[in-house]
Amino acid sequence: MTLQEVKSLASKGEGLKIEFKKKAAHPEKIVRELIAFANTSGGVLMIGVDDDGTVSGQRFIEEEVYVMEKAIRELIFPELSYELFTFSLNPKKGVAVFKVEFSPDRPHYLKENKKKQSYIRVADRSVQASMEVWEILRRGKSPKDMVFTYGRKEEVLLKALEENQKITLKEYSKLAKIPKFLASRTLVRLVLANVLKIHPQESEDYFTLKNQEV
């Protein structure tokens, strides 16, 4: 990666695969962006770039890199692979780029306060992954033919989707009159079987039939 490529990427603005940070303040929060990239479709985190995409640089960029790498080592599990690029803009300022690929070791998570919190990318934001997304990430690493029985609860679900196009976990649980854990298991299984598609959201995920426009 070259400095010219960095400026070109920055000019496109933040999005699914690009995140800007002026400096590495609160690295324990910034690593969430790297986790989200690794769990979703890869991406680049730029340190020393303004919110508007201006590559203005940051003083003592080596210190910014140091605190970020320390946070990556100590807070992200399993271990996250990344590429690091640093560039000098002038004798005082530089920019750093952390590039992360869609990880074969997903789901990665943030280990903080004895909790396991995973994140995914939704548009230009990194949001906490639901239990369903976590399970799909985990089991989707080794795709295989899914065998499931088509019973009343599946029939209720598919009929509801034909009528309303999308459904949430809560709505499905209530409609099928089944516990949430069973509704969750059914939805995850049908996503893995390529019958449904999950649409992660900041508030509540929803599900649609595969290839259905909503």
Side-chain angles (χ1 to χ4, degrees), residues 7-202:
K7 291 180 177 179
S8 177
L9 280 174
S11 69
K12 297 177 181 178
E14 291 183 315
L16 183 67
K17 295 188 174 187
I18 303 175
E19 179 73 23
F20 306 147
K21 297 295 179 186
K22 177 60 179 170
K23 61 183 297 183
H26 307 294
E28 71 283 354
K29 293 183 179 179
I30 298 177
V31 292
R32 297 174 184 178
E33 316 291 355
L34 297 175
I35 290 171
F37 286 144
N39 286 340
T40 308
S41 53
V44 292
L45 169 68
M46 300 181 176
I47 307 291
V49 178
D50 300 334
D51 287 342
D52 64 0
T54 302
V55 183
S56 57
Q58 178 62 32
R59 288 172 62 86
F60 310 114
I61 193 64
E62 296 82 4
E63 294 183 10
E64 305 294 313
V65 169
Y66 173 79
V67 298
M68 280 301 303
E69 292 199 300
K70 184 174 185 292
I72 291 169
R73 285 195 310 272
E74 296 179 355
L75 298 177
I76 299 179
F77 297 87
E79 182 179 343
L80 181 68
S81 297
Y82 61 91
E83 289 184 87
L84 171 63
F85 305 88
T86 57
F87 305 93
S88 294
L89 300 182
N90 57 51
K92 292 185 178 180
K93 289 186 176 183
V95 61
V97 178
F98 291 84
K99 183 179 180 182
V100 176
E101 301 293 341
F102 182 40
S103 176
D105 299 319
R106 63 190 183 277
H108 293 272
Y109 62 89
L110 176 68
K111 191 174 182 181
E112 189 177 29
N113 299 326
K114 297 183 179 180
K115 293 181 180 179
K116 291 182 179 180
Q117 296 181 333
S118 192
Y119 296 85
I120 55 169
R121 199 74 176 168
V122 177
D124 61 352
R125 296 174 63 84
S126 295
V127 303
Q128 189 168 340
S130 65
M131 184 175 67
E132 290 72 39
V133 167
W134 173 284
E135 191 66 12
I136 290 164
L137 286 170
R138 185 183 69 82
R139 294 172 61 183
K141 287 189 297 183
S142 303
K144 54 186 177 181
D145 292 338
M146 292 290 299
V147 178
F148 61 92
T149 56
Y150 183 85
R152 188 195 71 84
K153 63 182 184 299
E154 287 82 11
E155 184 179 351
V156 169
L157 173 62
L158 296 181
K159 183 178 179 181
L161 286 171
E162 287 174 0
E163 294 176 354
N164 303 308
Q165 292 191 305
K166 62 181 182 179
I167 197 167
T168 65
L169 170 63
K170 288 181 182 177
E171 289 170 344
Y172 175 43
S173 174
K174 183 177 180 180
L175 188 64
K177 299 179 181 178
I178 57 177
K180 268 191 181 181
F181 81 88
L182 184 55
S184 173
R185 187 187 304 168
T186 303
L187 291 167
V188 167
R189 193 170 68 244
L190 290 174
V191 169
L192 293 171
N194 281 317
V195 176
L196 301 183
K197 180 178 181 180
I198 186 170
H199 300 263
Q201 302 294 307
E202 193 164 2

